[in-house]
């Protein structure tokens, strides 16, 4: 038996060169090898006779070599080897390209199993480059469910197959049983050894399913245990409680009444903050669901308790907007609100920092500038991170460190399917705002091709003549190294719009490379109605609130994720005006057209997120690893959610009985949990 941590190059049949190739697949050790699960399977079990073969299908056929194979050289670098095979009734011709060695491998009179795609005509089938093995040998690549692995240069499917077999034989018996016996029994899960054997070399699809179910469960279970462990650590930290204030005062300054969902979220927050341990809560809600009000209520409660809040947002535009809104709302109640962004002048900055330090400011709204070293708080009790997917965990932590375990409230406008939230934010408490303020109109969404461009321009003109405003968003190409011309093309496009297409309208451009001050100026002009058409890169994606904007046009919509487009669409339809979203489909083709069509069908951010997740996977979904999603080997966030719920339930049970997994029987589990936490240090909260 070979230890699991043995470097792969010492495994029989590997060696230096192959070890190098394998490392490209992330396979460094024997453990990695046996944990490199097939990505697909091919059913090669059914053995047919030649006469049963159907054109176009892939099939196994048993046949005897009728005569010696003949090779002819067609030209340099291309030779063809032909061989006739027969069974008791029919004949078939097999052709191999550039595989002269088969001449010796196929012995006339001997029976072989061939697997390949059937070609030829009815009555005279053929195969080209089939896989074959002697009929009397053990089945490896024919007559079985054949595992298909990920490959890289220098590693063939057959080789991976052999290596997997070899790996299992070397270490199969020492694969640790990480699932406690009672959990395995309670959830009817297969044993480790069985699972590994059958995930690689299943005898039947039923066995494969049993193996998969167990391995998915195990993976999600270990993950959930890690989350529980981290959560346990968090609750140990000392926090401080604030008294839940009478909310009627807060309500009295609102120009509207809160939705029930907002009420619920606010109650959750108040409850958390009234306890001894620090709050760690996520507010999830679709665009426009009114998350800011929940944060404002939290800041207000902290102000009532005589302490400070910091409200961090990802862009200056948003910082300005939130600052104005919160100031307007809470200053009449006596709270001092300050703005801290990178574009503050030196003097203003100094004064603001001083006021924050002295405790003269109750609520600071700002960008990343909030976490710079010279920002000190007098008594920071709450941090709010809006649009949290834009921040890394470290950034949030850096802000947290400015207080002593302050309460933390994060807000996400990228709705995550409820089930997924469990895993992404496994150690956060979650409130969901699943209701929009009354009177919101559905934004009519259209997917159009280039041929509609003129009509869309006419439509923009018509809306503007009615007093509305429009956004035209271009993909944020300027951010990428590969296309330094991206920004240029956006600039040129904006210029063309303003000179040639809408010479009589006010067209302005805002993009990520502009100075913050210039950006704010353009946004203010737009908000004030001085700009009719705002050409923008995705800097406007988050949060911007201009109720008079009634049209969102997105160029090359195929370059965006669905959730991102949904965010963009959320920039319109915020006032009383009927609003529209037009997506130019770009060059993405049918697949992306189908994807984009989801947006035309629904305005429900959760549904869209789910679809996005299904179609693009979680990596793209979040845009970066920042979200704290660890790599999963076998589980799919999109489709294994029912298992996740069970795995979490099981993890809670195990962890409540043995919070640090100190019990001897839990030691394989503890190892895995620790390995996972170690590997994801800095990304898991
Ligand atoms: P988001 O959840 O996308 O951050 P906001 O907090 O920006 O949404 O709210 C969107 C708009 O809805 C804002 O103009 C806000 O003033 C308004 N709003 C929030 N709550 C309510 C409510 N209960 N009734 C009516 N309008 C509301
Ligand atoms: Mg918001």
């Amino acid at each position: 038996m070979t230890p699991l941590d043995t470097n792969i190059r010492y495994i029989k049949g590997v060696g230096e060169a192959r070890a190098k190739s394998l490392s490209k697949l992330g396979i460094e050790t024997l453990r990695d090898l046996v944990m490199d699960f097939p990505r697909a399977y091919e059913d090669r079990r059914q053995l047919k006779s030649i006469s049963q073969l159907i054109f176009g299908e892939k099939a196994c056929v048993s046949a005897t070599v009728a005569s010696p194979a003949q090779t002819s050289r067609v030209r340099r670098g291309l030779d063809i080897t032909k061989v006739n095979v027969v069974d008791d009734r029919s004949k078939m011709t097999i052709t191999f390209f550039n595989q002269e060695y088969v001449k010796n491998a196929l012995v006339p009179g001997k029976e072989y199993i061939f697997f390949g795609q059937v070609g030829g005509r009815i009555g005279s089938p053929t195969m080209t480059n089939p896989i074959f093995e002697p009929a009397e040998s053990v089945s490896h690549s024919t007559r079985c469910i054949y595992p298909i692995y990920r490959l890289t240069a220098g590693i063939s499917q057959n080789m991976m197959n052999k290596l997997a077999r070899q790996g299992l034989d070397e270490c199969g018996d020492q694969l640790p049983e990480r699932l406690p016996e009672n959990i395995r029994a309670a959830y009817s899960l297969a044993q480790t050894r069985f699972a590994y054997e059958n995930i690689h070399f299943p005898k039947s699809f039923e066995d494969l399913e049993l193996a998969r179910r167990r391995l998915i469960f195990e993976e999600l279970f270990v993950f959930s245990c890690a989350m529980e462990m981290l959560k346990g650590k968090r609750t140990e930290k000392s926090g401080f409680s604030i008294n839940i204030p009478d909310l009627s005062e807060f309500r009295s300054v609102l120009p509207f009444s809160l939705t029930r969902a907002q009420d619920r979220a606010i109650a959750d927050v108040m409850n958390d903050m009234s306890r001894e341990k620090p709050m760690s809560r996520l507010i999830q809600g679709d665009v426009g669901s009114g998350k800011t009000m929940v944060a404002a209520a939290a800041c207000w409660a902290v102000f009532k308790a005589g302490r400070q809040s910091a409200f961090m947002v990802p862009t200056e535009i948003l910082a300005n907007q939130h600052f104005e809104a919160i100031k307007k709302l809470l200053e009449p109640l006596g709270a001092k609100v300050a703005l801290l962004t990178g574009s503050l002048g030196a003097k203003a900055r100094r004064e603001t920092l001083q006021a924050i330090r002295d405790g003269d400011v109750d609520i600071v709204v700002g960008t990343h500038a909030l976490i710079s070293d010279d920002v000190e708080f007098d008594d920071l009790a709450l941090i709010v991170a809006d649009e949290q997917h834009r921040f890394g965990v470290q950034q949030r932590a850096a802000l947290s460190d400015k207080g002593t375990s302050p309460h933390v409230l994060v807000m996400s406008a990228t709705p995550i399917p409820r089930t997924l939230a469990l895993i992404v934010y496994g150690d956060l408490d979650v409130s969901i705002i699943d209701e929009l303020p009354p009177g919101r109109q559905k934004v009519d969404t259209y997917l159009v091709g280039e041929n509609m461009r003129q009509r869309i321009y006419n439509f923009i003109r018509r809306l503007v003549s009615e007093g509305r405003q429009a956004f035209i968003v271009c993909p944020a190409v300027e951010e990428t190294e590969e296309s330094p011309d991206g920004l240029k093309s956006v600039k040129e496009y904006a210029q063309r719009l303003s000179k040639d297409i809408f010479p009589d309208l006010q067209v302005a451009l805002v993009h990520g490379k502009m100075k913050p001050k210039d950006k704010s100026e353009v946004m203010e002009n737009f908000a004030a109605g001085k700009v009719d058409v705002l050409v923008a890169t995705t800097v406007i994606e988050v949060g911007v609130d201009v109720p008079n904007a009634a049209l969102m046009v997105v160029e090359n919509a195929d370059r965006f994720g669905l959730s991102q487009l949904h965010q963009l669409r959320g920039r319109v339809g915020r006032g009383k005006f009927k609003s529209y979203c037009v997506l130019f489909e770009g060059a993405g083709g049918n697949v992306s057209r189908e994807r984009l069509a989801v947006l035309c069908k629904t305005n429900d951010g959760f549904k869209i997120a789910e679809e996005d997740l299904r179609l693009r996977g979680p990596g793209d979904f979040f845009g970066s690893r920042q979200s704290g999603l660890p790599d999963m080997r076998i589980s799919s966030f999109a489709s294994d959610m029912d298992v996740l719920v069970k795995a979490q339930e099981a993890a809670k049970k195990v962890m409540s009985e043995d919070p640090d997994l100190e019990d001897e029987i839990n030691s394989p589990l503890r190892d895995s949990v620790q390995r996972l936490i170690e590997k994801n240090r800095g990304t898991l909260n």
Side-chain angles (χ1 to χ4, degrees):
M1 278 287 141
T2 317
L4 282 169
D5 290 319
T6 307
N7 190 303
I8 193 73
R9 91 173 150 257
Y10 302 119
I11 304 301
K12 208 173 111 212
V14 181
E16 290 290 340
R18 278 181 192 165
K20 232 186 191 153
S21 302
L22 286 169
S23 80
K24 293 212 185 77
L25 295 170
I27 301 175
E28 310 272 356
T29 64
L30 183 56
R31 182 200 312 275
D32 297 336
L33 177 64
V34 295
M35 288 185 74
D36 185 62
F37 303 135
R39 61 171 179 81
Y41 302 85
E42 200 164 74
D43 190 355
R44 302 180 176 178
R45 286 173 304 174
Q46 210 193 358
L47 200 53
K48 291 194 160 184
S49 62
I50 294 175
S51 61
Q52 288 173 316
L53 293 176
I54 297 166
F55 179 83
E57 74 171 343
K58 281 181 157 185
C60 282
V61 63
S62 174
T64 305
V65 174
S67 55
Q70 300 292 331
T71 299
S72 53
R73 175 135 307 181
V74 179
R75 57 179 150 80
R76 234 175 98 104
L78 177 64
D79 57 51
I80 294 180
T81 303
K82 281 192 188 280
V83 63
N84 290 320
V85 299
V86 293
D87 61 12
D88 47 7
R89 284 205 275 163
S90 324
K91 175 177 142 242
M92 174 168 80
T93 306
I94 297 180
T95 309
F96 293 94
F97 290 98
N98 289 338
Q99 294 185 46
E100 205 181 344
Y101 74 93
V102 303
K103 244 172 35 183
N104 300 323
L106 292 169
V107 180
K110 255 186 87 167
E111 192 181 347
Y112 296 86
I113 312 294
F114 298 92
F115 173 80
Q117 188 158 15
V118 180
R121 286 174 287 112
I122 294 175
S124 70
T126 62
M127 276 190 186
T128 303
N129 291 347
I131 289 155
F132 61 89
E133 55 194 3
E136 83 265 7
S137 78
V138 187
S139 58
H140 277 304
S141 45
T142 68
R143 292 161 292 168
C144 62
I145 297 175
Y146 187 78
I148 312 279
Y149 294 93
R150 294 174 305 132
L151 299 178
T152 182
I155 303 287
S156 71
Q157 204 53 259
N158 233 344
M159 193 185 298
M160 264 322 277
N161 202 294
K162 280 204 187 112
L163 286 174
R165 182 67 269 161
Q166 171 102 16
L168 277 178
D169 291 344
E170 300 246 9
C171 70
D173 289 340
Q174 3 157 24
L175 292 164
E177 180 53 84
R178 303 193 283 184
L179 294 178
E181 186 73 47
N182 58 339
I183 297 292
R184 233 178 54 221
Y187 295 92
S188 313
L189 299 166
Q191 287 172 327
T192 302
R193 182 68 229 246
F194 175 93
Y196 277 86
E197 182 63 34
N198 284 281
I199 198 74
H200 288 285
F201 304 107
K203 298 280 174 303
S204 67
F205 282 103
E206 292 74 52
D207 288 353
L208 173 61
E209 201 37 49
L210 287 176
R212 260 179 55 79
R213 213 176 90 76
R214 185 232 139 92
L215 292 168
I216 290 170
F217 188 99
E218 177 179 351
E219 183 165 58
L220 297 171
F221 173 75
V222 170
F223 180 81
S224 303
C225 286
M227 284 300 197
E228 286 297 314
M229 198 176 256
L230 291 170
K231 210 175 199 172
K233 297 261 168 337
R234 166 161 71 79
T235 52
E236 282 164 18
K237 278 198 281 183
S238 72
F240 53 83
S241 61
I242 63 162
N243 293 327
I244 301 181
D246 177 5
L247 279 167
S248 56
E249 187 189 341
F250 177 73
R251 284 181 212 280
S252 73
V253 295
L254 294 179
F256 40 68
S257 50
L258 294 167
T259 64
R260 262 171 322 180
Q262 283 172 317
D263 273 335
R264 272 198 306 271
I266 291 173
D268 289 343
V269 169
M270 295 303 160
N271 240 323
D272 287 351
M273 294 201 302
S274 70
R275 295 211 218 116
E276 287 295 323
K277 64 177 195 190
M279 165 169 74
S280 194
R281 181 169 290 277
L282 169 78
I283 307 289
Q284 262 210 79
D286 210 343
V287 250
S289 60
K291 294 183 288 295
T292 319
M293 282 309 132
V294 177
C299 293
W300 169 75
V302 166
F303 151 70
K304 293 293 277 185
R307 294 169 184 263
Q308 291 175 298
S309 307
F311 195 138
M312 182 162 68
V313 299
T315 65
E316 295 228 353
I317 295 174
L318 208 53
N320 284 321
Q321 191 180 296
H322 278 11
F323 168 67
E324 295 295 344
I326 289 176
K327 195 165 115 158
K328 197 162 125 209
L329 201 64
L330 299 184
E331 267 191 359
L333 298 178
K336 292 241 173 47
V337 187
L339 175 69
L340 188 69
T341 65
S343 58
L344 222 56
K347 180 155 171 282
R349 181 184 169 82
R350 221 172 25 246
E351 285 167 7
T352 305
L353 289 182
Q354 188 63 46
I356 297 172
R357 195 158 36 233
D358 294 346
D360 292 342
V361 164
D362 303 301
I363 301 163
V364 193
V365 181
T367 56
H368 300 85
L370 282 172
I371 52 182
S372 65
D373 283 339
D374 53 355
V375 181
E376 284 168 43
F377 287 84
D378 176 42
D379 185 17
L380 180 63
L382 168 69
I383 69 168
V384 179
D386 196 9
E387 311 291 343
Q388 73 86 35
H389 66 290
R390 292 292 186 102
F391 297 109
V393 174
Q394 283 94 337
Q395 286 169 310
R396 252 187 287 148
L399 186 52
S400 269
D401 284 345
K402 295 195 180 290
T404 338
S405 298
H407 295 297
V408 176
L409 182 63
V410 299
M411 293 187 289
S412 170
T414 309
I416 296 175
R418 194 182 285 265
T419 40
L420 184 63
L422 292 176
I423 204 159
V424 183
Y425 304 111
D427 70 330
L428 296 184
D429 301 310
V430 180
S431 302
I432 293 183
I433 305 189
D434 52 5
E435 182 185 4
L436 295 179
R440 283 290 154 77
Q441 302 196 33
K442 179 173 164 296
V443 177
D444 286 348
T445 304
Y446 302 94
L447 183 58
V448 301
E450 267 317 297
N451 59 335
M452 290 289 284
R453 187 167 289 279
Q454 198 48 52
R455 286 178 64 179
I456 300 303
Y457 287 155
N458 294 343
F459 185 54
I460 293 176
R461 189 178 292 284
R462 202 185 87 205
L463 282 179
V464 170
S465 74
E466 288 168 8
R468 302 289 79 72
Q469 291 162 281
F471 292 103
I472 301 183
V473 172
C474 306
V477 273
E478 85 269 27
E479 324 277 40
T480 70
E481 300 269 307
E482 308 94 77
S483 66
D485 291 343
L487 182 56
K488 194 166 139 240
S489 70
V490 174
K491 280 182 179 159
E492 278 169 7
Y493 179 48
Q495 220 158 49
R496 204 161 59 78
L497 281 173
S498 97
K499 282 225 177 73
D500 306 340
I501 300 175
F502 302 121
D504 49 332
L505 306 186
Q506 290 303 317
V507 178
L509 170 68
V510 62
H511 60 77
K513 289 281 151 72
M514 277 162 73
K515 285 210 196 79
K517 223 174 138 205
D518 299 339
K519 243 190 293 189
S520 306
E521 196 181 306
V522 175
M523 286 315 294
E524 273 158 29
N525 285 340
F526 187 68
K530 292 183 202 151
V531 169
D532 302 313
V533 178
L534 183 63
V535 182
T537 58
T538 42
V539 289
I540 55 141
E541 177 193 339
V542 289
V544 181
D545 200 16
V546 180
N548 191 45
L551 173 63
M552 167 64 63
V553 177
V554 183
E555 300 282 350
N556 295 101
D558 56 316
R559 308 247 201 109
F560 296 88
L562 292 185
S563 294
Q564 207 182 359
L565 288 169
H566 180 62
Q567 286 294 313
L568 285 171
R569 174 168 64 183
R571 299 305 116 223
V572 299
R574 298 173 84 88
K576 50 186 183 294
F577 308 108
K578 175 78 202 149
S579 297
Y580 308 86
C581 175
V582 173
L583 307 172
F584 277 103
E585 60 190 23
N590 282 337
V591 179
S592 81
R593 196 169 307 132
E594 196 184 318
R595 190 168 68 85
L596 294 173
V598 173
L599 285 163
C600 305
K601 273 182 267 167
T602 180
N603 269 264
D604 180 337
F606 284 93
K607 278 208 190 97
I608 289 165
E610 220 149 314
E611 192 66 7
D612 215 7
L613 182 66
R614 195 175 66 74
L615 293 168
R616 310 210 314 168
D620 277 341
F621 183 61
F622 292 101
S624 81
R625 287 251 135 246
Q626 288 191 346
S627 58
L629 264 190
D631 287 319
M632 291 280 150
R633 273 177 194 276
I634 184 166
S635 318
S636 146
F637 289 111
S639 55
D640 296 322
M641 285 306 134
D642 46 336
V643 186
L644 174 62
V645 173
K646 296 204 173 97
Q648 289 209 320
E649 174 189 291
K652 281 209 167 71
K653 182 167 163 358
V654 171
M655 297 301 290
S656 70
E657 285 159 13
D658 183 9
D660 293 315
L661 297 174
E662 280 162 338
D663 197 331
E664 197 43 43
I665 58 162
N666 286 330
S667 84
L669 176 59
R670 183 183 57 227
D671 288 349
S672 306
V673 166
Q674 273 165 355
R675 217 188 339 256
L676 184 75
I677 292 177
E678 202 47 53
K679 207 171 116 203
N680 291 287
R681 195 163 286 292
T683 48
L684 298 178
N685 294 312

